Each structure stands twice: as structure tokens, then as C-alpha cells.
């Protein structure tokens, strides 16, 4: 999904001067075509998380053009699983261990998937700050799976993911989806939820899987309400 400057102004509810400042000072990612700036929605979410830019309900709603039920994020994490004490002394070693636990079909080439993740990290770090990383390749990883999954891994030792805030990473979310649209919808929900203080506290204290899933279930309902309110506002306008 490609966005224009006008789209950015609308969904982030900021003036054009702010957007220009983000581009010049915070390296907001864009491409130039016909002398117009265009923004990739997925890259924009990564950038906003890394730079602590507040995500509005309208940003979330944009990723929800394909309707999803309120529990999709909770169910994706439940499917992917939550793992503790994943070993590894660097990004490469950690990604190999994470791919080992991903719920993938038996015939999946896990070595190729590891290579794709590592290549993406070398191109641009997927660390979003506060010790959290969301590894994914430049284009969403879409595999022959029955349903989407998010695998949450807590690393045994913090690892340098070249984060913008220079903090070591020890919380890693890895997303697998059945379509690009589904990837956008789930990633937008995850990004929105990672602004929630209670969820962040659960993550940083390495709460039990039951606690984390319970928090995600509650947040799923909250994000759905936010999207519905935003859609109603658009209709009124």
C-alpha cells in the first residue's frame, strides 16, 4: 500500500511541517516518483515504532481495509507460540534458533528463511526500540500455511540488532501470514498494541505466556473499537 504526503497528514493528524520534519530529521522512508513522495505502509509502521511516533486509530484503520475479527492478534500469537530463553550471541545465531521454533510446514526450507531474515537485518535493522525487534523481509513472508502466526521469543541474552536507540534486543516477534493484506492488518494491530503501557510491562518483565495472551485478548477488543470509531468519523465527514 502506497501513501502520499496528504495521506500521512490525515492519518497521523499532523501538519505538513511536521511531516517535512520527520523526513528531514528522522529519516522517514519514502520513494520519489514524478517529483512526488510516496510512502510504503509497512515500512512506515516500522519507522513509526522505531522513532516513537504515536500511531492513531486511523493509522490502524488503514491496515484494516481487509476486515479482521477482534481476536486475530491474540489467535496469531497463540498459534505461533511464546518461547523463553532462546539462545544466541548475535543476530544470525538468534534468527536460526527462532526459525527452528516457527510453526512451519514440514517441507519448508528453513535455511532459506533464515537467510532471508538475515539479509533483511543487514539491509536495515528491524529493531523498533525498547529492546524489541520485529524481524521480517522487505516483502512480507507469505508461506503455505493454514492461518497466520506470530511467534514471540524472549532471548536468553540481549543481542545487538543495531537499534536506533542503541538498546540491545531481547524481545522478538516474528510474523507469518497467508496473504499480504493479512500481513498489513496484523502488523498494524501489533504496532498499535506495542504502544500500550500494560502490554509493554508484560513484555519487559517476561510475564507468563498466559498473562501476555490475556493482555492481547483485551487489547484486540480495544483496537477493534478504535477502528470502528474512526470509520464512523470518516463516514460523518
Amino acid at each position: 500500500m502506497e501513501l502520499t504526503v496528504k495521506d500521512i497528514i490525515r492519518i497521523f493528524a499532523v501538519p505538513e511541517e511536521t511531516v517535512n520534519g520527520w523526513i528531514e530529521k528522522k529519516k522517514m522512508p519514502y520513494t520519489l516518483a514524478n517529483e512526488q513522495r510516496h510512502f510504503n505502509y509497512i515500512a512506515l509502521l516500522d519507522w513509526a515504532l522505531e522513532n516513537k511516533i504515536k500511531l492513531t486509530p486511523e493509522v490502524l484503520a488503514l491496515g484494516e481495509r481487509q476486515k479482521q475479527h477482534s481476536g486475530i492478534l491474540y489467535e496469531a500469537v497463540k498459534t505461533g507460540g511464546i518461547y523463553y530463553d532462546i539462545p544466541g550471541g548475535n543476530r544470525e545465531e538468534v534468527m536460526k534458533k527462532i526459525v527452528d521454533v516457527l510453526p512451519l510446514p514440514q517441507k519448508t526450507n528453513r535455511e532459506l528463511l533464515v537467510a532471508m531474515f538475515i539479509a533483511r537485518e543487514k539491509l536495515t535493522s528491524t529493531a523498533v526500540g525498547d529492546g524489541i525487534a520485529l524481524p521480517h523481509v522487505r516483502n512480507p513472508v507469505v508461506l503455505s500455511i493454514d492461518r497466520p502466526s506470530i511467534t514471540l521469543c524472549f532471548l536468553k541474552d540481549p543481542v545487538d540488532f543495531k537499534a536506533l536507540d542503541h538498546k540491545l534486543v531481547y524481545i522478538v516477534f516474528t510474523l507469518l501470514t497467508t496473504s499480504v493484506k493479512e500481513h498489513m492488518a496484523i502488523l498494524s494491530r501489533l504496532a498499535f498494541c506495542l504502544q500500550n503501557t500494560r502490554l509493554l510491562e508484560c513484555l519487559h518483565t517476561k510475564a507468563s505466556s498466559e498473562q501476555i495472551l490475556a493482555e492481547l485478548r483485551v487489547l484486540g477488543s480495544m483496537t477493534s473499537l478504535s477502528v470502528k470509531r474512526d470509520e464512523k468519523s470518516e463516514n460523518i465527514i
Side-chain angles (χ1 to χ4, degrees), residues 142-155:
V142 179
L143 301 170
S144 299
I145 53 179
D146 295 330
R147 51 185 173 176
S149 70
I150 296 176
T151 300
L152 168 58
C153 292
F154 292 97
L155 307 186

Side-chain angles (χ1 to χ4, degrees), residues 42-43 46 91 114-127 134-139:
I42 293 175
D46 291 341
R91 288 185 296 182
V114 170
M116 292 169 66
F117 280 128
I118 292 176
R120 173 65 172 87
E121 290 297 332
K122 290 181 178 179
L123 182 64
T124 308
S125 173
T126 59
L134 310 176
H136 58 274
V137 295
R138 178 64 72 179
N139 295 312

Side-chain angles (χ1 to χ4, degrees), residues 46-76:
D46 291 341
W47 170 85
L49 280 171
E50 189 174 14
N51 286 274
K52 303 295 184 294
I53 305 298
K54 184 178 180 180
L55 296 176
T56 65
E58 193 162 7
V59 176
L60 173 61
L62 199 62
E64 297 268 306
R65 296 311 183 200
Q66 175 177 313
K67 302 300 182 185
Q68 303 289 349
H69 59 83
S70 62
I72 190 170
L73 185 61
Y74 160 79
E75 291 179 5

Side-chain angles (χ1 to χ4, degrees), residues 36-197:
Q36 298 292 324
R37 291 189 175 103
H38 297 270
F39 305 83
N40 177 272
Y41 181 71
I42 293 175
L44 194 63
L45 287 176
D46 291 341
W47 170 85
L49 280 171
E50 189 174 14
N51 286 274
K52 303 295 184 294
I53 305 298
K54 184 178 180 180
L55 296 176
T56 65
E58 193 162 7
V59 176
L60 173 61
L62 199 62
E64 297 268 306
R65 296 311 183 200
Q66 175 177 313
K67 302 300 182 185
Q68 303 289 349
H69 59 83
S70 62
I72 190 170
L73 185 61
Y74 160 79
E75 291 179 5
V77 175
K78 189 175 180 181
T79 298
I82 300 175
Y83 297 86
Y84 297 81
D85 295 329
I86 296 293
N90 54 50
R91 288 185 296 182
E92 289 76 11
E93 292 177 2
V94 163
M95 288 315 306
K96 289 178 183 177
K97 295 298 182 181
I98 289 176
V99 171
D100 283 343
V101 301
L102 293 180
L104 296 167
Q106 187 174 1
K107 294 182 179 180
T108 300
N109 188 333
R110 292 180 186 262
E111 291 184 3
L112 176 60
L113 189 56
V114 170
M116 292 169 66
F117 280 128
I118 292 176
R120 173 65 172 87
E121 290 297 332
K122 290 181 178 179
L123 182 64
T124 308
S125 173
T126 59
V128 296
D130 288 335
I132 301 173
L134 310 176
H136 58 274
V137 295
R138 178 64 72 179
N139 295 312
V141 178
V142 179
L143 301 170
S144 299
I145 53 179
D146 295 330
R147 51 185 173 176
S149 70
I150 296 176
T151 300
L152 168 58
C153 292
F154 292 97
L155 307 186
K156 183 176 183 180
D157 299 300
V159 169
D160 185 8
F161 266 66
K162 310 300 180 184
L164 189 64
D165 63 359
H166 304 296
K167 292 183 180 179
L168 299 180
V169 164
Y170 60 97
I171 302 166
V172 181
F173 289 90
T174 306
L175 172 61
L176 302 175
T177 56
T178 59
S179 71
V180 174
K181 288 184 178 180
E182 188 176 63
H183 181 92
M184 290 197 307
I186 297 179
L187 181 59
S188 64
R189 279 180 180 265
L190 178 58
F192 195 81
C193 288
L194 285 176
Q195 296 182 141
N196 182 271
T197 303

